[in-house]
Amino acid sequence: KSCQTGKISTAEAAVQSQTSQDASVQTDQSIDAAEAFQQDVQVDYTSLLLFLQRVEDVVIKELNKNWTSHAFDGFEVNWTDQNEAVLCLHTLSYPEAQDQHLQVTSVSWNATGSVLACSYGRLAYGDWSTEKSYVCTWNLDRRGLDPKHPDLVVDVPSSVLCLAFHPSQPSLIAGGLFSGEVVVWDTSRREDPLIWRTGLTDDTHTDPVYQVSWLPDAKHRNHVQLLSASTDGKVLVWREERDGQLALAEGFALVAQQIPRIAQLKKLMWGEVAVGVTSLSFSHFDPRMFIVGVEGGYSLKCSMAAETPALHRTGSSVLLRAPAELAFSPHGGPVYSVSCSPFHRQVLNLFLSCGTDGQIHLNSMLQTQPLLSLQLSKKYLFCVRWSPVRPLVFAAASGEGNQKCFCFTGDVHLFDFAKSSQKPAVSIKQAAAECPVYCLEFNIKQTQLLAAGDATGTVRVWQLSSDFTEQGPREMTHLEQLASETTD
């Protein structure tokens, strides 16, 4: 009486068919036959006329009802393109910083494009070194966004002059301080967000840090390094250490004697004089090449591959090198901002620069004279940024201005070379009288967004129209023609 079943027998049988047959489904009708078919179609005009006569009264009755309807009273047809408008989506501020009359010194978007950070300080006047400042962040995708209540506020004992979110880790943000320090915060840590700092050592900058940028680490594929530039003339590259310190990995120093001869400035004594760096932008096609703007009014092409030792006497744990290779025709005052184009062929290597002379220069890295010079304002221009999505579009931030020069107080200017190479396509009113716009940044992920910070302590997020975000046909060709025409 076993419960074991009896032996189960199995058999296999193939189910794959052994024969196949192809059949064509493409018609073989010739073009002449198709034309003949179309010619054979005939219209019964007599029946068509009878049909129209039969429905005429009904159609006229319905048309008269539509004519007397009030359903669309008050509706006006707008025949213009709705995308021409530039709208202000958000007006962000931190009341405590505004109460101290602090200004927005820098703005930065995180890797996802949803979080915006701004730093507070004082660029126009006051003692930066002893005044408390702030770094604030807002998540614009969060429900219940309070424009006057940041998601995170970081208290900083010294003015923060520049910010840069990590290119891939959305919570990491680097800052450059007036004290010369470089710091990194982790915005996911609410209680103590500071995770790395350079400290005050012989390697630290001795002047304010005006630019920080994240760089890929050539030796370690999955790591990045942090670059800082200061008016002490040094460009330094930092690597992270386990104890929360940033250690100097390599460095460069700009000394007047080692600047190419075209840049011998009357304002600078010839010799071992540091050339203060106020802005920096890396080439999008050669990671070793970068452009710096300096206090003397020049833009300089520099290389990370430089090997010549810098004539720099101050103590440093690494040998500082002289990176300058070429000096471009100068502005009439300090260069506050440079921006390399992400859209061009290698033959052009274009970048923009602006400064205290109110001019914007369009330069090629291959020649010293500007391809184009725009007199936007008689006052300062603080920032210029190339569009990340359109080769012919860029934005500029201005201070006080003159109506005759197409520049108004506290404006953000959007240029489109497809429309004009001499004046802005749109000038957006950002701030009130005598309150310049200091910084602006395009959002690389959400390309219709542009953030701008001003002297009132306000950050405005502008929504750009499709005119500024959708690339038109032959834009690269247009830019090359513009460059060749101005060069000729």
Side-chain angles (χ1 to χ4, degrees):
K1 297 181 179 180
S2 172
C3 62
Q4 176 67 39
T5 62
K7 184 178 180 180
I8 299 176
S9 60
T10 62
E12 295 183 0
V15 296
Q16 179 68 38
S17 61
Q18 300 298 317
T19 61
S20 62
Q21 183 176 359
D22 294 333
S24 175
V25 295
Q26 178 65 42
T27 59
D28 295 325
Q29 187 177 18
S30 66
I31 297 177
D32 294 337
E35 293 178 349
F37 174 78
Q38 293 176 352
Q39 293 174 355
D40 291 337
V41 176
Q42 297 185 5
V43 178
D44 185 352
Y45 290 101
T46 302
S47 299
L48 177 60
L49 177 61
L50 292 174
F51 167 75
L52 293 176
Q53 290 174 340
R54 187 170 67 252
V55 301
E56 178 183 9
D57 292 340
V58 178
V59 171
I60 291 177
K61 180 181 178 181
E62 293 301 321
L63 289 175
N64 286 333
K65 286 173 62 177
N66 291 342
W67 179 257
T68 59
S69 172
H70 298 283
F72 295 98
D73 285 358
F75 177 77
E76 295 182 2
V77 179
N78 186 357
W79 299 107
T80 61
D81 187 358
Q82 293 293 320
N83 288 331
E84 291 181 358
V86 179
L87 305 176
C88 182
L89 290 185
H90 305 285
T91 300
L92 310 174
S93 62
Y94 182 46
E96 188 170 335
Q98 290 181 310
D99 291 343
Q100 299 177 37
H101 304 290
L102 297 180
Q103 302 153 342
V104 178
T105 57
S106 180
V107 290
S108 181
W109 296 95
N110 79 337
T112 66
S114 59
V115 175
L116 176 65
C118 80
S119 59
Y120 282 97
R122 202 184 301 282
L123 292 178
Y125 54 88
D127 187 353
W128 301 345
S129 60
T130 60
E131 191 160 28
K132 178 182 177 181
S133 67
Y134 309 92
V135 171
C136 300
T137 67
W138 289 266
N139 186 338
L140 302 186
D141 291 340
R142 192 169 68 90
R143 289 186 178 182
L145 172 69
D146 188 342
K148 293 187 177 182
H149 190 273
D151 299 321
L152 176 68
V153 177
V154 180
D155 293 341
V156 188
S158 178
S159 279
V160 184
L161 302 183
C162 54
L163 292 176
F165 264 112
H166 192 283
S168 61
Q169 299 184 41
S171 64
L172 297 187
I173 184 169
L177 308 187
F178 173 81
S179 64
E181 274 198 277
V182 177
V183 296
V184 178
W185 298 282
D186 185 347
T187 59
S188 65
R189 297 172 49 172
R190 299 286 173 168
E191 296 299 325
D192 185 17
L194 181 62
I195 57 173
W196 293 311
R197 64 189 305 173
T198 58
L200 296 176
T201 68
D202 291 338
D203 287 333
T204 311
H205 290 288
T206 55
D207 278 6
V209 177
Y210 280 94
Q211 184 90 39
V212 287
S213 300
W214 296 90
L215 302 176
D217 190 337
K219 297 180 180 179
H220 303 87
R221 205 174 220 183
N222 298 325
H223 291 77
V224 293
Q225 295 178 321
L226 192 57
L227 178 142
S228 60
S230 166
T231 48
D232 63 1
K234 293 187 288 186
V235 177
L236 305 178
V237 180
W238 306 89
R239 67 173 185 271
E240 61 185 73
E241 294 286 333
R242 293 182 179 180
D243 57 356
Q245 293 293 311
L246 290 171
L248 187 60
E250 59 179 325
F252 307 88
L254 293 167
V255 180
Q257 188 173 341
Q258 294 177 300
I259 301 299
R261 288 283 175 173
I262 187 177
Q264 291 186 22
L265 308 180
K266 295 180 181 179
K267 298 178 181 178
L268 287 176
M269 295 176 57
W270 187 249
E272 298 177 18
V273 178
V275 179
V277 179
T278 53
S279 54
L280 183 147
S281 180
F282 269 86
S283 167
H284 292 261
F285 300 96
D286 185 349
R288 300 169 300 174
M289 194 69 62
F290 62 97
I291 300 293
V292 298
V294 303
E295 290 181 312
Y298 285 84
S299 299
L300 305 174
K301 182 171 75 170
C302 301
S303 174
M304 298 280 288
E307 297 181 356
T308 303
L311 300 175
H312 193 77
R313 293 181 176 178
T314 58
S316 176
S317 63
V318 301
L319 176 66
L320 301 183
R321 308 194 300 275
E325 295 184 344
L326 181 65
F328 302 93
S329 182
H331 286 265
V335 176
Y336 277 161
S337 182
V338 290
S339 178
C340 290
S341 170
F343 290 99
H344 58 75
R345 295 187 177 95
Q346 288 285 14
V347 70
L348 286 178
N349 295 295
L350 300 180
F351 70 92
L352 295 163
S353 63
C354 71
T356 58
D357 59 356
Q359 290 190 357
I360 296 175
H361 288 183
L362 172 64
N363 275 93
S364 166
M365 294 186 192
L366 306 180
Q367 66 182 63
T368 59
Q369 295 299 316
L371 302 175
L372 192 65
S373 181
L374 307 175
Q375 185 67 53
L376 180 62
S377 169
K378 290 184 178 180
K379 300 294 183 179
Y380 293 179
L381 294 178
F382 292 98
C383 189
V384 63
R385 290 291 183 268
W386 214 298
S387 166
V389 290
R390 276 204 54 199
L392 298 176
V393 169
F394 66 91
S398 71
E400 303 167 42
N402 188 310
Q403 189 171 0
K404 293 181 180 179
C405 298
F406 310 102
C407 181
F408 302 89
T409 302
D411 277 9
V412 173
H413 306 278
L414 291 168
F415 284 81
D416 187 348
F417 282 145
K419 297 180 178 179
S420 173
S421 61
Q422 295 299 321
K423 64 180 182 179
V426 174
S427 290
I428 311 168
K429 180 64 66 179
Q430 162 97 9
E434 300 182 2
C435 290
V437 179
Y438 285 132
C439 51
L440 52 83
E441 288 291 343
F442 286 97
N443 189 324
I444 297 178
K445 296 295 184 179
Q446 302 183 47
T447 57
Q448 77 280 10
L449 300 183
L450 172 69
D454 58 52
T456 68
T458 301
V459 178
R460 297 188 191 276
V461 179
W462 301 95
Q463 178 177 305
L464 306 182
S465 66
S466 60
D467 289 345
F468 296 105
T469 59
E470 295 179 4
Q471 187 174 151
R474 296 173 55 83
E475 285 206 26
M476 287 301 306
T477 303
H478 189 145
L479 189 59
E480 290 178 1
Q481 289 175 348
L482 176 65
S484 61
E485 288 172 3
T486 52
T487 303
D488 296 340

